[in-house]
Amino acid sequence: MRMGSGADRIRCIAALLLAAVIPSVTLQADEIRFSRDVLPILSDHCLLCHGPDENSRVTEMRFDVEASAREVIAADEQGASELVRRITSTDPDTVMPPPDAVKQLSDRQKEILQQWIAEGAVWEGHWAYQPVQKPEIEANEPRRAIDHYVDRRLKEAGLEPNPPAEPEEWLRRVTFDLTGLPPTPDEVDRFLENLDYEAVVDRLLDSPHYGERMAWDWLEAARYADTHGYQKDNVRTMWAWRDWVIESFNSNQPYDQFTIEQLAGDLLPQASMKQRIATGFNRNHRINAEAGSIPEEFRTEYVIDRVDTTATVWMGMTAGCARCHDHKFDPLSQRDFYRLFAFFNNIEEKGSDGVGPAAVPEVKVPVPAKERKLAIARLKLNAAEKRLLSAGSDEEFAAWLATHRQVSEGGSFWLVTPPEAVRGTSGGSTFEVLADGSVLFGGANPLNDVHEATFTIPSAVKAASLRLQALAHPSLTDDSLARSFNGDFLLSEIELLVNGNRLPLTAAAADRELSDRAAATAIDGDPLTGWSPGPGQSEATAWFTPESPLELKAGDRVTVRLRYESREEQYMIGRFRLSLGVGRTPDAEMTASQFLALNANDRQTLLTEFRETSPALADLRASRDELKREVDRLKAESVTRVMVMQEREGAPRVTRLLERGLYDHPGEVVQAGVPEFLGLELPDGEPANRLTLARWLVDPRHPLAARVAVNRFWQQIFGSGLVRTPEDFGYQGERPTHPELLDWLAADFMESGWNVKRLLREFVLSETYRRSSAVRSDLLESDPENRLLGRMSRLRLPAPMIRDQALYVSGLLVNQAGGPPVKPWQPDGLWEAVAGVNSNTTRYEADSDSGRFRRSLYTFWKRGMPPPNMLVFDAASRETCNVRRSTTNSPLQALTTLNDPTFAVSAIMLAHRTLREEHGSNDAEILASLWQRTQSRAIEERQLRVLDELLNQHLGVYSEHPQRAAERFAPAKEWITGAVPIAPSRLAAFTEVAEVLLNLDTTLTRP
């Protein structure tokens, strides 16, 4: 028996080695095919020195061009082939590859080349670059094409496939694959009653969760994130594009239209807002905002990223390899690369623009839910203002007026005198003095500046303080206080000068200020600190007091300097107003005209002052002001900004080939165009722009787009693609395991109108998909990687499904689609550890509401520090495009599911939910219910015994130590509600069982 086991292992190892050498596990001695068997050898061992890149070619002889290759393939005068002579030579000066080459030919590879030449050396083009032809299936073949081609390969290999999986196993598998969530016990029961497989698939494809599941893979391909990346890594607002992706999948938008809108929706006739949002696909790349970055260098990098991403996602092509030189393996020249570059080189963007939530070009997108709330808040505010306008009796007004007439003689009002001169030290900025004495900042918006306003005192006054008001204006960001990305400012220092002499300011206060940016920090002498009211405000006021009251004479010149010298860039107040407090109490604003109105008995002006200052109306004003703040907040939230593609006005930007790929080494001018080797040109008479490029990609004659798309969807469902290098369909990529099936599916996909749901329906209803994932020894020995699909692959669930499943079975998952990203729990200090200078993502504050329990798709994604419980389960970092799923197994994964608060609370709530819903049941029934919720199948007797023993062990411990029981479920105490009383020891013990079940391999693995 031992000998047999050892022999099995040896055969298994031999099969693995053979598979590594020979592209097809069914290769026969009489089946040599150029594209399948010969071209991979030439690509791996010859093209580096004899391929497309003229810079690395050592001779003019090329193996990527048939005419050149035949010169060494053909027999010479002695009847021998130069190629055969070279690969079989023992002379180090003659043998090829040369002795110092890293990759040497194996004996088997030499045999393949010799046999191919002996059989006539039939030359074929690379399989992926040939037009898609739909193979014919025998007329009497009743099964799906998938099963026809898969079973034919198995039969050729002498293998029998696995029997069908148990119905519950298939249901769990397909529910995860199409929605990213497990089936509920009720869904399992209903399915087992009728075994209607098609009805289940139709229900899942119609579920709103389908679009969420499909969007995850697309976001990784699109390098979607909620920050810009690089050192600053500031917040960006692209979530409306993410929601468009979800909606597109749920509505089953044809894949060709899905492609066109993302690459060129803005160029469609009468492009809708949604079509413009769709173009955010190619604005998801990183954007730099570092002060020392060179704008043109990074603008170039953004365009290169678009070329590389577009080529990867739609053509399975490693185009980035041709940035600096001709591709060393595939027939893509450097000139081809920059012809593609030209399509994406004509948007009006900045190379250094990653400060605000969106970089130009952008669109403002209404958020309907917030708009509705804003409309209601505005109605409430109007009502509050009307109540204030009609408030106050004649007696109260008369008493107020009498008091203020007396005070006015002492001059205790704020005196606003419009500045005579305002300037910015950096130059290029403009300043407009408005009718109310405020100053509107415009023109150039420098990184930092000093704004200086000077005015003349009209008459002798005694000033006790200086007031600075920041006011909203329609020209400012979101009608807020500044032109910065979020409407906030940071005033480093404020200085007061009288007749050129600087007077110290010793005290400060503000009505709105951040805890770490109080008004007092604007007079502390430190340029890196300062006053900020925070974003989303429509007004903010600060008061500054000199050492002693100022005795000002008529004609005195007062100058106020507003210094912006911190590292916050473009954080200047957009509209400000300065005034002097004449007297000691800032109880009313008094412009020169209002001062005169008081003495002239201007009743309307005085009534307004009365309502805004009378203590008797304080409550009404407070209510009105609170509603104002609510309107301001909702106004900011009712619109989100999304980066889009948009052609620049005027003459198109000239594109040049960049020598060595360097932005500052421009070479020859190139025009937008497509690679010639694919044999498909752009439509005649159409402009060479992104729209024609997108239509060219989804032209039915294009050899790559449908193949690449079908392969990636296959990978999503079956675990790996028919081509196991989804990012590379070129010479260095793997040949498809089932080439005829890939072509049949690609052709059928296009014939169906690029119908994604129909394609996935074919996948999951096939016999191939329904097979058991049990590993048989004969299949393992002959096909260890399951490339022939004799069984269904068991796969560790992707990162989002692991987290979402725990929330779902515990009843915590919040079913809310779309909207801004949320911040569930993550370890403290991670963002601080990678914080860039002046980044607005330096501190992570977890949500305290339902955001903790939304689907992982909506979790805030910081590029510099992605969600750790996603990364540990191999989610892509989203720095760049990623279309291949990777799976590892590490101790960190077990530590995450055992300790992460999301999983800990889920275990507690799963136990609590089950105990509450199974109230009155015995322990065995409760354990069976827990098992069903997490495993999607009925429990067996042996499994029940193990769980029962585990439960009783913990019941004994927690009954003796009630304090430990309370501590066990304390993390979820705020969610433990309900009328059903549950003993703490029982909840703690069942929590232990729930945690074990959530960590089983069968829970974390798709069957």
Side-chain angles (χ1 to χ4, degrees):
M1 187 67 183
R2 291 196 192 103
M3 290 180 63
S5 298
D8 286 346
R9 285 196 295 273
I10 291 171
R11 282 195 294 271
C12 181
I13 293 170
L16 282 168
L17 292 173
L18 187 64
V21 173
I22 304 174
S24 171
V25 297
T26 61
L27 179 63
Q28 305 291 327
D30 58 351
E31 285 187 334
I32 301 297
R33 291 269 306 274
F34 176 79
S35 64
R36 182 188 67 192
D37 308 320
V38 176
L39 185 55
I41 299 174
L42 299 179
S43 177
D44 259 1
H45 299 274
C46 307
L47 293 190
L48 190 63
C49 300
H50 302 282
D53 184 9
E54 64 180 12
N55 295 318
S56 63
R57 278 202 302 268
V58 296
T59 70
E60 289 305 310
M61 203 287 296
R62 297 175 60 173
F63 278 112
D64 63 315
V65 176
E66 181 180 6
S68 179
R70 289 210 176 277
E71 294 177 9
V72 295
I73 294 171
D76 57 19
E77 295 177 357
Q78 288 75 36
S81 164
E82 176 69 9
L83 175 60
V84 173
R85 186 175 70 84
R86 289 291 191 119
I87 66 175
T88 58
S89 174
T90 57
D91 182 350
D93 294 329
T94 303
V95 67
M96 285 291 164
D100 60 351
V102 175
K103 293 185 176 182
Q104 294 293 325
L105 291 173
S106 68
D107 290 342
R108 180 58 183 144
Q109 289 171 324
K110 294 175 184 177
E111 291 173 6
I112 291 172
L113 293 175
Q114 291 177 78
Q115 183 179 339
W116 171 63
I117 292 172
E119 292 175 351
V122 175
W123 191 280
E124 300 171 328
H126 182 53
W127 67 269
Y129 304 148
Q130 308 309 307
V132 176
Q133 300 290 337
K134 190 174 187 179
E136 292 187 6
I137 301 178
E138 293 83 349
N140 61 353
E141 174 60 70
R143 299 177 304 163
R144 286 181 163 83
I146 294 171
D147 303 319
H148 168 78
Y149 289 112
V150 169
D151 288 355
R152 191 174 73 180
R153 286 293 307 277
L154 287 167
K155 186 176 180 180
E156 290 171 353
L159 296 173
E160 284 291 328
N162 267 358
E166 294 297 324
E168 304 99 310
E169 185 179 341
W170 175 85
L171 180 64
R172 183 173 176 83
R173 178 187 299 164
V174 75
T175 307
F176 268 122
D177 282 343
L178 295 184
T179 68
L181 297 169
T184 66
D186 285 345
E187 288 168 348
V188 174
D189 291 343
R190 287 198 298 272
F191 175 59
L192 293 178
E193 287 175 2
N194 52 40
L195 296 182
D196 192 337
Y197 288 81
E198 293 192 0
V200 167
V201 173
D202 291 340
R203 172 176 61 81
L204 296 174
L205 291 173
D206 286 340
S207 166
H209 296 311
Y210 162 79
E212 294 176 319
R213 186 271 172 271
M214 297 295 292
W216 181 273
D217 289 358
W218 195 257
L219 297 192
E220 291 198 336
R223 67 272 194 240
Y224 170 89
D226 298 301
T227 63
H228 290 302
Y230 292 104
Q231 183 181 13
K232 191 174 284 288
D233 209 13
N234 270 359
V235 171
R236 72 166 42 164
T237 53
M238 288 295 286
W239 56 265
W241 175 82
R242 176 248 286 150
D243 290 356
W244 176 88
V245 173
I246 298 170
E247 180 185 343
S248 296
F249 277 117
N250 275 332
S251 65
N252 200 26
Q253 183 181 41
Y255 186 79
D256 59 342
Q257 190 64 22
F258 183 68
T259 296
I260 290 168
E261 291 189 8
Q262 288 185 89
L263 292 179
D266 59 305
L267 298 178
L268 291 169
Q270 289 81 49
S272 67
M273 174 63 80
K274 287 185 177 180
Q275 288 169 331
R276 296 189 68 196
I277 292 171
T279 65
F281 173 88
N282 259 328
R283 297 299 307 287
N284 278 314
H285 53 75
R286 297 179 300 161
I287 297 179
N288 203 346
E290 297 172 22
S293 62
I294 301 172
E296 182 58 19
E297 176 183 8
F298 283 93
R299 192 196 67 80
T300 301
E301 292 299 322
Y302 308 155
V303 181
I304 288 172
D305 179 277
R306 290 178 198 132
V307 177
D308 202 14
T309 298
T310 302
T312 299
V313 171
W314 278 282
M315 293 192 285
M317 184 182 294
T318 55
C321 297
R323 168 185 179 169
C324 306
H325 48 70
D326 292 346
H327 203 294
K328 293 189 181 298
F329 302 102
D330 298 333
L332 183 74
S333 68
Q334 188 185 19
R335 189 169 181 276
D336 284 334
F337 181 87
Y338 286 99
R339 293 179 75 203
L340 290 171
F341 181 103
F343 286 109
F344 302 102
N345 193 33
N346 199 43
I347 72 165
E348 198 68 75
E349 63 182 328
K350 302 175 183 177
S352 182
D353 200 13
V355 175
V360 294
E362 62 175 6
V363 293
K364 291 185 176 181
V365 181
V367 182
K370 295 294 184 181
E371 283 188 321
R372 289 191 291 270
K373 290 182 179 180
L374 175 61
I376 294 171
R378 278 176 167 156
L379 289 174
K380 292 180 179 179
L381 175 59
N382 289 338
E385 288 176 334
K386 287 179 180 179
R387 285 195 297 272
L388 184 59
L389 283 174
S390 60
S393 64
D394 290 343
E395 292 79 7
E396 289 172 327
F397 173 61
W400 176 88
L401 186 60
T403 301
H404 281 67
R405 278 192 183 282
Q406 295 171 4
V407 174
S408 69
E409 295 172 1
S412 70
F413 288 96
W414 290 93
L415 182 62
V416 178
T417 303
E420 299 163 0
V422 188
R423 69 185 186 95
T425 57
S426 65
S429 300
T430 63
F431 300 89
E432 179 186 357
V433 180
L434 305 182
D436 63 354
S438 64
V439 177
L440 182 63
F441 167 45
N445 195 13
L447 298 180
N448 297 108
D449 208 352
V450 178
H451 295 171
E452 186 175 280
T454 302
F455 51 91
T456 303
I457 298 300
S459 58
V461 293
K462 185 176 182 179
S465 57
L466 170 69
R467 183 176 68 172
L468 170 64
Q469 291 173 286
L471 305 166
H473 192 271
S475 68
L476 305 176
T477 299
D478 297 328
D479 197 9
S480 192
L481 303 179
R483 293 162 65 189
S484 64
F485 76 92
N486 61 358
D488 196 11
F489 60 82
L490 177 59
L491 175 65
S492 300
E493 295 289 313
I494 183 170
E495 298 174 357
L496 174 64
L497 296 86
V498 176
N499 297 326
N501 299 315
R502 182 178 172 185
L503 302 179
L505 297 170
T506 57
D511 61 350
R512 291 176 178 84
E513 58 186 19
L514 299 177
S515 59
D516 57 343
R517 294 182 177 183
T521 60
I523 58 172
D524 63 0
D526 185 351
L528 298 184
T529 63
W531 172 47
S532 280
Q537 308 289 348
S538 60
E539 184 173 350
T541 303
W543 298 271
F544 302 93
T545 307
E547 284 183 320
S548 58
L550 308 180
E551 301 286 349
L552 300 175
K553 306 182 297 297
D556 279 348
R557 290 180 64 77
V558 175
T559 301
V560 178
R561 289 180 184 151
L562 306 179
R563 293 189 173 275
Y564 305 98
E565 297 173 330
S566 77
R567 293 172 183 162
E568 295 288 356
E569 300 166 354
Q570 300 177 333
Y571 257 47
M572 281 74 82
I573 300 174
R575 177 186 169 208
F576 64 88
R577 182 164 57 193
L578 298 165
S579 49
L580 292 173
V582 184
R584 289 174 295 178
T585 55
D587 58 351
E589 174 180 301
M590 184 57 64
T591 64
S593 61
Q594 289 170 334
F595 192 88
L596 294 173
L598 180 63
N599 292 312
N601 202 23
D602 183 338
R603 181 175 177 81
Q604 190 57 48
T605 301
L606 295 174
L607 276 172
T608 299
E609 290 294 317
F610 160 64
R611 289 166 184 146
E612 292 298 328
T613 61
S614 172
L617 306 180
D619 289 345
L620 285 175
R621 285 196 302 275
S623 176
R624 186 270 318 267
D625 292 346
E626 178 62 29
L627 286 168
K628 271 187 177 180
R629 287 190 288 272
E630 176 71 2
V631 166
D632 288 344
R633 183 182 66 81
L634 289 171
K635 186 167 61 174
E637 295 176 355
S638 65
V639 173
T640 185
R641 297 159 67 188
V642 180
M643 297 185 293
V644 296
M645 298 290 283
Q646 178 179 309
E647 296 294 280
R648 67 201 297 255
E649 296 180 0
R653 183 181 279 119
V654 174
T655 297
R656 295 179 179 271
L657 184 149
L658 301 180
E659 297 177 6
R660 300 198 304 274
L662 301 174
Y663 80 97
D664 55 352
H665 283 64
E668 65 169 297
V669 173
V670 296
Q671 303 299 324
V674 295
E676 296 176 1
F677 74 90
L678 291 173
L680 180 64
E681 296 297 325
L682 291 173
D684 290 335
E686 296 289 334
N689 58 22
R690 285 180 285 111
L691 184 57
T692 53
L693 174 67
R695 288 172 171 162
W696 172 81
L697 279 171
V698 293
D699 187 308
R701 296 169 295 169
H702 198 290
L704 288 169
R707 283 185 175 123
V708 169
V710 163
N711 186 66
R712 240 184 6 258
F713 289 128
W714 183 278
Q715 173 185 255
Q716 181 176 312
I717 299 299
F718 289 89
S720 60
L722 294 168
V723 177
R724 298 205 171 193
T725 52
E727 75 287 351
D728 188 1
F729 274 47
Y731 290 2
Q732 289 286 292
E734 281 202 36
R735 179 178 170 79
T737 55
H738 300 72
E740 290 180 304
L741 174 57
L742 179 62
D743 277 9
W744 195 97
L745 291 170
D748 188 66
F749 185 43
M750 291 187 285
E751 290 172 3
S752 73
W754 303 80
N755 189 324
V756 176
K757 285 189 177 182
R758 178 182 178 276
L759 178 70
L760 298 181
R761 194 175 191 275
E762 287 295 303
F763 289 175
V764 300
L765 287 174
S766 66
E767 293 176 14
T768 302
Y769 180 84
R770 286 176 57 179
R771 283 176 183 144
S772 166
S773 59
V775 180
R776 299 195 334 249
S777 59
D778 60 327
L779 287 176
L780 181 63
E781 178 181 346
S782 301
D783 185 17
E785 295 183 9
N786 195 33
R787 302 182 79 174
L788 299 182
L789 297 169
R791 58 182 171 85
M792 190 59 182
S793 299
R794 291 183 79 248
L795 305 169
R796 211 271 321 281
L797 291 174
M801 294 187 196
I802 291 175
R803 177 179 175 273
D804 294 353
Q805 173 184 219
L807 293 172
Y808 189 62
V809 299
S810 69
L812 287 171
L813 188 70
V814 174
N815 256 337
Q816 179 183 342
V822 295
K823 295 178 179 176
W825 289 296
Q826 75 172 33
D828 294 335
L830 294 183
W831 281 18
E832 290 87 337
V834 298
V837 176
N838 289 326
S839 169
N840 58 21
T841 58
T842 59
R843 185 177 178 185
Y844 187 89
E845 295 183 3
D847 290 339
S848 59
D849 54 14
S850 63
R852 288 175 289 193
F853 305 127
R854 296 280 304 281
R855 288 198 74 168
S856 301
L857 179 70
Y858 304 115
T859 296
F860 189 98
W861 201 277
K862 175 178 167 68
R863 289 188 203 269
M865 181 53 68
N869 56 11
M870 295 291 104
L871 284 191
V872 78
F873 286 105
D874 304 307
S877 69
R878 303 190 185 173
E879 292 285 294
T880 55
C881 168
N882 182 76
V883 293
R884 190 197 290 221
R885 178 187 174 191
S886 63
T887 303
T888 64
N889 195 349
S890 72
L892 282 177
Q893 295 168 357
L895 290 171
T896 298
T897 53
L898 286 169
N899 295 285
D900 184 290
T902 296
F903 295 95
V905 169
S906 293
I908 298 166
M909 295 309 297
L910 171 59
H912 181 265
R913 176 190 185 187
T914 308
L915 285 167
R916 189 182 68 234
E917 294 181 4
E918 300 291 334
H919 180 61
S921 302
N922 59 40
D923 287 354
E925 292 170 326
I926 296 171
L927 291 173
S929 180
L930 277 172
W931 178 271
Q932 174 79 308
R933 291 177 195 273
T934 58
Q935 308 302 308
S936 308
R937 65 182 190 276
I939 196 168
E940 298 176 11
E941 185 61 34
R942 61 187 177 85
Q943 296 156 344
L944 182 57
R945 284 198 306 270
V946 173
L947 292 183
D948 188 58
E949 182 179 347
L950 176 66
L951 175 67
N952 286 317
Q953 285 176 353
H954 287 292
L955 274 174
V957 172
Y958 286 126
S959 296
E960 293 178 9
H961 303 282
Q963 182 59 35
R964 288 174 59 182
E967 292 172 355
R968 183 66 181 87
F969 58 80
K973 196 168 184 179
E974 63 181 288
W975 298 284
I976 296 176
T977 58
V980 178
I982 302 172
S985 60
R986 283 180 62 73
L987 178 54
F990 274 100
T991 293
E992 299 289 355
V993 175
E995 188 169 68
V996 167
L997 291 174
L998 286 177
N999 281 275
L1000 289 181
D1001 177 68
T1002 50
T1003 308
L1004 303 176
T1005 304
R1006 191 213 67 180

